Amino acid sequence: MDLVMVATSARGDTRLLHTTARRRAEDEGSGLLVVHVVGGVEYERQAPQMRRAIRDEIKWLLHAMLVPAAGVPGSSIGRMTVDVREGDVVEQLIDAVRSSRPDLVMLGVPQPHAADALSEGAYSRLISYLEDNSIPVERVPTA
């Protein structure tokens, strides 16, 4: 396995998802691609400089959440990349899959009560795309 991709909302309740993805990449000696998508009305209303700052902050946060454990002695994780994108979550995740061609995609199980949770239809659309393209998916509980 060369690349594990994890799609994350970067909320605090995604710790298990992040830990599981990092361990999978370590176990396989593969790279880890961490993808987060920002968007929505409030985000779109921001000035371009503020949107850039938001993306940079999220990227820093994801590094802080995942990188320290990757530097632990004995860790065999390969390269790790954090990709923060803008737009429709499903479209951007599909684009990330197309461009990176991961061997495994790890997703959190949607939490309907979360403000930024994918709708059931959007989540199903993403799963269908992955299954139709024979891309293995591992679903990890959050919260």
Side-chain angles (χ1 to χ4, degrees), residues 30-137:
S30 63
L32 179 62
L33 172 62
V34 182
V35 181
H36 176 79
V37 182
V38 294
V41 175
E42 289 301 316
Y43 177 77
E44 297 299 327
R45 287 182 184 160
Q46 302 299 319
Q49 302 91 325
M50 180 58 83
R51 291 184 359 205
R52 185 171 39 257
I54 291 168
R55 289 190 313 275
D56 289 347
E57 183 78 12
I58 291 170
K59 191 171 186 175
W60 178 88
L61 173 66
L62 287 166
H63 272 285
M65 293 170 90
L66 288 151
V67 170
V72 171
S75 172
S76 60
I77 194 169
R79 70 204 172 281
M80 186 178 106
T81 305
V82 176
D83 184 4
V84 178
R85 294 166 168 248
E86 295 179 303
D88 178 79
V89 175
V90 174
E91 288 177 19
Q92 290 300 316
L93 291 176
I94 289 172
D95 185 64
V97 167
R98 285 181 183 144
S99 62
S100 66
R101 302 168 61 129
D103 299 294
L104 172 68
V105 174
M106 300 186 74
L107 302 171
V109 175
Q111 299 298 314
H113 63 276
D116 59 350
L118 282 177
S119 69
E120 187 176 317
Y123 191 78
S124 295
R125 195 173 90 208
L126 177 59
I127 295 297
S128 292
Y129 172 83
L130 297 169
E131 290 174 350
D132 290 349
N133 288 278
S134 303
I135 299 165
V137 178

